[in-house]
Amino acid sequence: MNNEELQQLVSRISLESFHKPFMHRAYFNPRLRTTGGRYLLQSHHIEINPKAFEIYGVREVEGIILHELCHYHLHLEGKGYQHRDKDFRALLKKVNAPRFCSTLQIPKSRSKKQRPHYTYECIQCHQRYVRKIRFNVNRYCCGKCSGQLKIVE
Ligand SMILES: [Zn+2]
Ligand SMILES: [Zn+2]
């Protein structure tokens, strides 16, 4: 799906579920990380995470769009458009939208790679050690020369 098709999808969902036109832009934003989508208060545009589409497909994206359109229409009408507002919750229920800006569950294999590693270096022989856990450099020393370790990154 490209931006043009996304725009059409948002316009259609707006008319079908809210009986109101969507008069701003909807587009994919690849910089979104774990949020499925967001509504921009300043410009009234709706941004969708392209990864939501890749991971979950069109049904999930439709849910995200419904949710963002709730923010959109309430905000434009000067009603309570935030998650905690009564107007917002009532509208979500009415159009059967998911309660939260859906958070993407990045598949485990990928998130494992992103887990931080800590690199330690011996200040004497410069041997490097990469460990998954952070430890106190005062309590351990270099396995090769017993020199003091320092954390590099
Ligand atoms: Zn939201
Ligand atoms: Zn050493």
Side-chain angles (χ1 to χ4, degrees), residues 93-105:
K93 240 185 163 175
K94 198 177 150 198
V95 299
N96 211 5
R99 262 196 81 182
F100 301 102
C101 300
S102 121
T103 308
L104 301 184
Q105 306 284 332

Side-chain angles (χ1 to χ4, degrees), residues 7-149:
Q7 177 78 26
Q8 283 169 17
L9 181 64
V10 175
S11 301
R12 182 168 61 77
I13 291 174
S14 182
L15 285 174
E16 280 174 4
S17 297
F18 299 85
H19 308 290
K20 290 167 197 164
F22 174 68
M23 297 183 297
H24 294 80
R25 294 291 303 166
Y27 52 88
F28 288 111
N29 181 354
R31 283 189 314 249
L32 291 179
R33 300 194 60 149
T34 54
T35 37
R38 65 176 178 183
Y39 165 62
L40 302 172
L41 291 173
Q42 305 277 329
S43 61
H44 308 295
H45 297 329
I46 287 176
E47 295 185 341
I48 298 294
N49 190 334
K51 286 193 272 305
F53 195 73
E54 286 163 29
I55 297 172
Y56 296 117
V58 72
R59 278 204 70 90
E60 178 78 8
V61 173
E62 282 176 0
I64 296 168
I65 291 169
L66 273 174
H67 178 107
E68 302 310 326
L69 280 171
C70 288
H71 286 302
Y72 172 82
H73 287 299
L74 290 169
H75 182 235
L76 285 183
E77 288 159 21
K79 294 179 185 160
Y81 62 87
Q82 291 180 302
H83 289 160
R84 58 182 156 79
D85 290 322
K86 248 173 103 183
D87 289 336
F88 185 76
R89 291 195 205 171
L91 188 57
L92 280 185
K93 240 185 163 175
K94 198 177 150 198
V95 299
N96 211 5
R99 262 196 81 182
F100 301 102
C101 300
S102 121
T103 308
L104 301 184
Q105 306 284 332
I106 307 295
K108 265 204 176 139
S109 57
R110 234 190 279 175
S111 61
K112 239 181 198 169
K113 266 186 213 153
Q114 289 170 341
R115 230 204 253 152
H117 284 76
Y118 301 97
T119 306
Y120 300 86
E121 191 184 303
C122 170
I123 59 173
Q124 282 189 60
C125 73
H126 304 289
Q127 170 74 36
R128 284 195 168 201
Y129 300 89
V130 179
R131 293 290 179 270
K132 278 182 199 150
I133 51 158
R134 198 183 177 103
F135 61 80
N136 183 348
V137 291
N138 295 320
R139 293 185 59 189
Y140 297 90
C141 58
C142 172
K144 262 173 84 184
C145 75
S146 302
Q148 175 151 22
L149 299 175

